[in-house]
Amino acid sequence: VNFFCTDFSGNQNNTESRNFEVNASNSPPRILDISNIPDQTVTESSITPVAFSVLASDSDVTDLNHTSLEAIFSYPNYPEKKSLCSHSNDINATTANYSCTINIEYIDPAGVWNVSASIKDLQNGQSSYYNKSFLLLVFYLNRISKNPDYLHFIYNISNFH
């Protein structure tokens, strides 16, 4: 880069020359936290939507790709579940809050589940996956469904004394 200086009389000096480099790099965003997920009560043959939140951070919150947040629930030897997430609000200039929902089905096992979350920025930089384990206590509604509307038992009375 050459610097030119001109004084009020119109005299110009261009004897100073400098070279420099500017390295601009994009720092990927980060997941800061995943909210706790409370115990759930499920009803037979139903799906229970469970809400939770995710906090994401970037040097400039306007650089976060709000549609790219992914939260995945996993349990050993069970199919993964992907949640639906949407941008709720900006906490400050670097942190955004996302609302997410995962559907818990009555057939899902109770136990320790893992939730992993990641987000991208508008330059396609991706955060590392943030992992959090939680104990999902599924309280089942004690109930028997029967179809048709009757139960039929066959006993051989001769076997009773």
Side-chain angles (χ1 to χ4, degrees):
V1 173
N2 291 324
F3 293 96
F4 297 94
C5 296
T6 305
D7 64 17
F8 291 112
S9 301
N11 299 317
Q12 191 175 55
N13 182 351
N14 60 356
T15 58
E16 182 73 26
S17 181
R18 298 276 177 170
N19 293 323
F20 62 91
E21 286 184 30
V22 175
N23 291 323
S25 64
N26 180 39
S27 297
R30 296 180 309 134
I31 300 294
L32 300 178
D33 192 29
I34 299 171
S35 68
N36 291 328
I37 298 173
D39 300 340
Q40 298 298 310
T41 300
V42 295
T43 304
E44 178 189 6
S45 300
S46 71
I47 295 172
T48 302
V50 177
F52 63 100
S53 62
V54 176
L55 291 178
S57 178
D58 197 46
S59 58
D60 180 5
V61 76
T62 61
D63 189 40
L64 288 169
N65 182 345
H66 295 310
T67 62
S68 71
L69 181 69
E70 177 179 67
I72 300 171
F73 282 65
S74 59
Y75 185 84
N77 302 315
Y78 200 75
E80 289 183 343
K81 294 175 166 281
K82 291 188 178 181
S83 69
L84 298 173
C85 298
S86 62
H87 177 254
S88 294
N89 62 308
D90 293 337
I91 304 294
N92 55 38
T94 61
T95 305
N97 184 33
Y98 295 84
S99 296
C100 302
T101 303
I102 188 76
N103 289 327
I104 301 295
E105 298 180 66
Y106 74 102
I107 58 173
D108 288 339
V112 178
W113 284 72
N114 185 65
V115 59
S116 302
S118 180
I119 192 168
K120 293 180 180 178
D121 62 19
L122 296 176
Q123 280 72 45
N124 219 24
Q126 183 168 0
S127 71
S128 299
Y129 276 89
Y130 180 96
N131 296 298
K132 187 172 191 177
S133 294
F134 66 95
L135 178 61
L136 177 64
L137 296 175
V138 180
F139 298 104
Y140 296 98
L141 180 63
N142 293 326
R143 175 179 148 184
I144 297 175
S145 291
K146 55 186 175 61
N147 191 10
D149 289 334
Y150 59 88
L151 294 174
H152 184 81
F153 297 98
I154 301 174
Y155 291 104
N156 185 343
I157 301 214
S158 64
N159 290 337
F160 291 100
H161 297 292

